Amino acid sequence: MSTAIELFFDPVCPFCWMTSRWIEEVRPRLDLAVTYRPISLRMLNPDEDPDGAMAGVHDRGLELLRVVVAVAETHGQGAVGPLYTALGNAIHEQPVGQDVTVEGFEDVARVQVDRPADLPGLLRDLGLDEDLASATSDVSRDVAIRASTELALERAGDDVGTPIITFGPPDGPSLFGPILSELPRGDEAVRLFEATRTLAEHRPFTEFKRSLRAMPDVAALARIR
């Protein structure tokens, strides 16, 4: 019997990307039924400096989530996971050029606002309608994105970000995280999943936390790890 989970994601978040790759590592081993749902960092951070690099990359995340919603409506929810994988590879797994000065994450964010460089081509390669790339500017999609973002917060509480995972949706427990700097593989990945699920299902459990030890191990962040 498969285990259903939902993972709320913003495609520009490298921490969420790492967590999603862990889920994909575990998926076939535990027969997970994974649904990816939007959560917008732009909506979670409305007071950011509009001229700052983080606001820019969060705006890009919202644009891409509009495409995610459009793809789900046109091609079905099953198309969202492969689309997220393609977007994540384009955003996080491509190194920043040596001609770009990189001193911190904001420098990487300034590069990522232009990723993926060819969104229609990315959709076409997935067998999706490439015209859906125009949804980046379709603000009517924000209604669905905001509803999904608010649902994630209802489940996990305020003062969280992405990823949020729900075990046994819609009524099962939800957690923010786990936040990973490196991708666990094989049995290690399964043990971490089982431990996370055990904590989530223990209703009195609220929070584990420690300072960030390293940035995620992705090509785009290699120069600041």
Side-chain angles (χ1 to χ4, degrees):
M1 180 177 179
S2 64
T3 297
I5 68 168
E6 290 181 348
L7 190 152
F8 292 81
F9 76 101
D10 188 314
V12 299
C13 177
F15 304 102
C16 183
W17 172 247
M18 185 64 69
T19 300
S20 74
R21 296 312 91 188
W22 162 62
I23 291 296
E24 290 299 327
E25 173 75 10
V26 174
R27 180 206 285 259
R29 297 171 181 271
L30 296 180
D31 191 23
L32 300 184
V34 183
T35 299
Y36 288 100
R37 303 191 61 163
I39 182 172
S40 170
L41 290 171
R42 172 71 278 174
M43 293 178 179
L44 291 177
N45 297 277
D47 298 325
E48 285 178 317
D49 176 1
D51 297 321
M54 295 311 300
V57 78
H58 290 167
D59 285 342
R60 183 55 171 167
L62 179 55
E63 291 175 351
L64 295 174
L65 286 175
R66 291 168 183 159
V67 176
V68 167
V69 170
V71 165
E73 291 178 356
T74 304
H75 295 278
Q77 180 62 41
V80 173
L83 174 58
Y84 179 29
T85 293
L87 290 172
N89 280 326
I91 295 168
H92 304 293
E93 299 298 348
Q94 306 303 316
V96 176
Q98 293 298 318
D99 58 325
V100 178
T101 300
V102 176
E103 297 179 351
F105 182 72
E106 289 195 355
D107 296 317
V108 177
R110 291 187 181 92
V111 172
Q112 291 179 326
V113 296
D114 295 321
R115 293 180 172 180
D118 181 9
L119 183 54
L122 183 147
L123 294 172
R124 183 174 59 253
D125 290 344
L126 291 170
L128 305 174
D129 181 358
E130 64 185 83
D131 291 340
L132 294 176
S134 64
T136 53
S137 58
D138 184 357
V139 297
S140 70
R141 308 286 181 181
D142 294 1
V143 175
I145 297 168
R146 187 172 297 280
S148 186
T149 297
E150 291 175 351
L151 176 61
L153 297 183
E154 288 173 9
R155 291 180 179 181
D158 295 329
D159 194 28
V160 295
T162 178
I164 290 172
I165 295 177
T166 300
F167 296 86
D171 299 320
S174 300
L175 289 176
F176 165 54
I179 303 301
L180 306 170
S181 60
E182 296 182 5
L183 178 61
R185 297 284 189 181
D187 291 344
E188 181 185 14
V190 172
R191 287 194 298 270
L192 177 59
F193 181 87
E194 297 291 10
T196 303
R197 179 164 56 181
T198 297
L199 285 174
E201 292 174 347
H202 184 66
R203 291 292 183 174
F205 172 74
T206 301
E207 182 179 30
F208 265 157
K209 192 170 184 178
R210 63 180 171 187
S211 298
L212 181 65
R213 303 304 180 191
M215 297 295 285
D217 184 16
V218 296
L221 301 176
R223 289 167 59 187
I224 58 174
R225 289 195 84 231

